Amino acid sequence: MHSRSVAIVTGGSRGIGAAISERLTVDGYAVVINYAGRRDDAVALASRLVAQGGEAVALQADVSDPVAVQRLFDATEARYGGVDVLVNNAGVMDLAPVAQVDDAAFDRLVAINLKGSFNCMREAAHRLRSGGRIINFSSSVIGLRLETYGAYSATKAAVEALTTVLSRELRGRSITVNAVAPGPTATDLFLEGKSPELIERMAKMNPLERLGTPADIAAVVSFLAGPQGGWINGQVIRANGGMV
């Protein structure tokens, strides 16, 4: 039996996911860095974390495929003996006014953000050891109700609904289910294609007057995954500097 607690981080190869993977290895977890297509990024991150004294491995799975998600949990159990923490971080963003969202974009958002999160939650509900943690990812844009974020926000609102319901369904197993809803966070994905003026304006939207960092979000995940967060359950934590 493996002595460390074991965490799966979906979409764990870059941005917020990579920061979470790193933070959880520092916290002492064996971390499975899940990726869909970015194998090189995931393998390089796992190698770096191992070199720093952590326990990490990169495993491929498209979360929108339920069979792939089962295999991901199978492989994790085979390697480490069980799963204690699921961080449901994998997601995509595609922005357009509702009137202009094409079917392919809508289907991709639903397949990855909603069905992908659901597939992982469903598997975790069967697989997680007693005392485990499920940490989903929403977004603070739900509260902002920004134009062009309609379809994206809809997938995240659904994740929030599932979070609360699943937390009640896992009664008696000491497993908590929560969601983290970041505000604007300085990742490559976020900064790409935005003017300095727009970035500055978004940074000023919260009273702390800065963008979040991936490490800020990873700290919230660390809290929820660890013993200090054990009494938080069925909640959405808006990690956004007080924006909404």
Side-chain angles (χ1 to χ4, degrees):
M1 202 62 168
H2 206 272
S3 57
R4 296 179 191 243
S5 289
V6 180
I8 295 173
V9 181
T10 68
S13 66
R14 65 183 190 139
I16 290 171
I20 293 166
S21 297
E22 179 161 20
R23 175 61 189 262
L24 292 181
T25 59
V26 170
D27 290 348
Y29 294 85
V31 174
V32 171
I33 301 165
N34 159 255
Y35 65 95
R38 297 181 171 274
R39 181 182 183 277
D40 292 349
D41 290 351
V43 170
L45 177 60
S47 300
R48 180 165 67 80
L49 297 181
V50 169
Q52 292 170 359
E55 175 79 54
V57 64
L59 291 179
Q60 195 278 339
D62 176 349
V63 296
S64 70
D65 175 358
V67 176
V69 170
Q70 288 173 358
R71 283 201 301 262
L72 173 64
F73 277 76
D74 287 343
T76 303
E77 288 182 348
R79 186 179 183 97
Y80 293 121
V83 185
D84 302 286
V85 177
L86 166 68
V87 183
N88 238 338
N89 168 75
V92 292
M93 186 185 285
D94 201 312
L95 305 181
V98 169
Q100 291 162 31
V101 174
D102 65 43
D103 290 336
F106 183 85
D107 289 348
R108 181 167 176 259
L109 283 167
V110 171
I112 297 170
N113 295 1
L114 175 51
K115 185 68 160 70
S117 295
F118 172 81
N119 288 338
C120 293
M121 275 185 257
R122 180 172 59 186
E123 204 60 32
H126 291 292
R127 305 282 196 110
L128 248 57
R129 292 189 281 216
S130 178
R133 306 275 197 265
I134 297 172
I135 301 163
N136 294 322
F137 264 76
S138 179
S139 170
S140 286
V141 298
I142 291 178
L144 292 171
R145 295 174 170 80
L146 293 174
E147 291 95 334
T148 75
Y149 283 83
Y152 174 79
S153 295
T155 64
K156 293 302 190 178
V159 168
E160 290 192 9
L162 282 165
T163 296
T164 310
V165 172
L166 184 56
S167 72
R168 294 173 176 177
E169 291 175 348
L170 294 180
R171 174 182 292 275
R173 291 174 56 191
S174 300
I175 295 172
T176 66
V177 188
N178 294 289
V180 179
T185 304
T187 62
D188 292 343
L189 199 67
F190 172 80
L191 297 170
E192 194 179 332
K194 291 187 174 71
S195 68
E197 294 74 28
L198 177 59
I199 290 166
E200 180 69 12
R201 194 162 78 242
M202 294 186 86
K204 290 287 192 329
M205 284 170 74
N206 72 71
L208 301 183
E209 298 192 331
R210 67 172 177 84
L211 292 176
T213 66
D216 288 326
I217 308 306
V220 180
V221 173
S222 171
F223 167 71
L224 290 173
Q228 303 290 326
W231 194 231
I232 309 292
N233 194 18
Q235 305 303 311
V236 178
I237 298 183
R238 307 214 174 279
N240 59 28
M243 189 171 62
V244 286

